[in-house]
Amino acid sequence: MQHIRVNHKIRLELIDSSMADVVFQTINRDREFLKKWLPFVNYTSKVEDTKTFIESITQNSNKSDLVYTIWYNEEFAGLIGFKDTDWVNRKTELGYWLAENMQHKGIITACVEKLMRFAFQKQKMNRIQIKVAEGNLPSEKIPVKLGFMYEGTERQGEQHNHGYHNLKIYSKLKHELSD
């Protein structure tokens, strides 16, 4: 789906190369805030880096992972999307980030809930997981609030700033979805 209306304030739009500037400008503006938990920030130094990222996900001709821009009151707020989707086993992972000035508005929680339902109902997924860097408490609250089950910790699962983060793994299965 190209556009998904989450609620009256939030909409998701499938990312395309025309959005590279707004995405990069937000990363650049919030660099110090974002780089604490997001390894890609250190490798995003110019708008061309963002264009390359967008092209890498939009030029995949098979059922590629869908990545959406988040718009809050028509202002760019961040990205959310599916990654490492396994169509054979009907499982995927949700990843997200949000601009600093968009924090604490319930945006990501609402978006995760909407995309979770989309994945289970429209894409026929059976399992969705969210990985959260150990210590990233604001991000960890999202899967907890939405009823995802903590499965364990992927030790040193993500290289970041000359070291590694442990990743806490949360999952939800289709039959656990409440109406």
Side-chain angles (χ1 to χ4, degrees):
M1 292 182 70
Q2 288 290 110
H3 305 278
I4 297 175
R5 178 57 67 180
V6 176
N7 59 36
H8 68 284
K9 291 184 175 185
I10 305 168
R11 72 177 166 85
L12 304 177
E13 191 170 330
L14 205 55
I15 198 166
D16 68 45
S17 57
S18 71
M19 301 168 182
D21 284 333
V22 71
V23 174
F24 174 75
Q25 294 305 325
T26 303
I27 293 167
N28 204 38
R29 180 193 70 213
D30 292 352
R31 186 170 297 283
E32 290 304 309
F33 173 76
L34 294 171
K35 76 178 186 180
K36 182 174 183 182
W37 302 113
L38 301 170
F40 74 84
V41 173
N42 290 329
Y43 308 106
T44 306
S45 59
K46 54 192 181 302
V47 72
E48 288 75 23
D49 298 329
T50 303
K51 287 179 183 171
T52 300
F53 164 73
I54 293 170
E55 288 169 4
S56 76
I57 55 174
T58 58
Q59 292 181 352
N60 187 348
S61 60
N62 60 8
K63 290 184 175 180
S64 64
D65 293 331
L66 300 174
V67 176
Y68 293 92
T69 51
I70 303 167
W71 300 87
Y72 180 79
N73 289 333
E74 298 307 313
E75 184 180 342
F76 176 74
L79 295 182
I80 187 166
F82 300 107
K83 59 180 288 209
D84 302 326
T85 301
D86 178 343
W87 291 97
V88 173
N89 293 299
R90 297 287 181 200
K91 61 183 180 177
T92 192
E93 180 179 338
L94 269 173
Y96 46 81
W97 65 264
L98 201 59
E100 187 172 15
N101 66 330
M102 294 291 175
Q103 301 287 315
H104 310 295
K105 299 177 188 297
I107 296 170
I108 292 293
T109 302
C111 291
V112 167
E113 185 169 27
K114 187 72 166 189
L115 285 185
M116 174 183 68
R117 292 183 181 283
F118 172 77
F120 285 141
Q121 295 166 355
K122 303 286 190 222
Q123 296 183 310
K124 307 299 183 205
M125 289 292 151
N126 182 59
R127 173 189 164 87
I128 300 171
Q129 73 179 20
I130 295 174
K131 294 182 180 181
V132 181
E134 203 169 65
N136 188 348
L137 300 179
S139 189
E140 189 174 359
K141 287 179 184 177
I142 292 157
V144 170
K145 183 176 184 175
L146 294 175
F148 281 64
M149 179 179 287
Y150 172 68
E151 292 188 339
T153 299
E154 182 181 335
R155 297 178 310 136
Q156 297 187 3
E158 186 171 69
Q159 187 176 10
H160 189 52
N161 291 334
H162 312 295
Y164 291 87
H165 280 304
N166 291 338
L167 298 174
K168 295 178 89 172
I169 302 170
Y170 289 86
S171 71
K172 190 161 193 124
L173 303 178
K174 185 175 185 172
H175 77 271
E176 297 168 340
L177 184 65
S178 58
D179 293 326

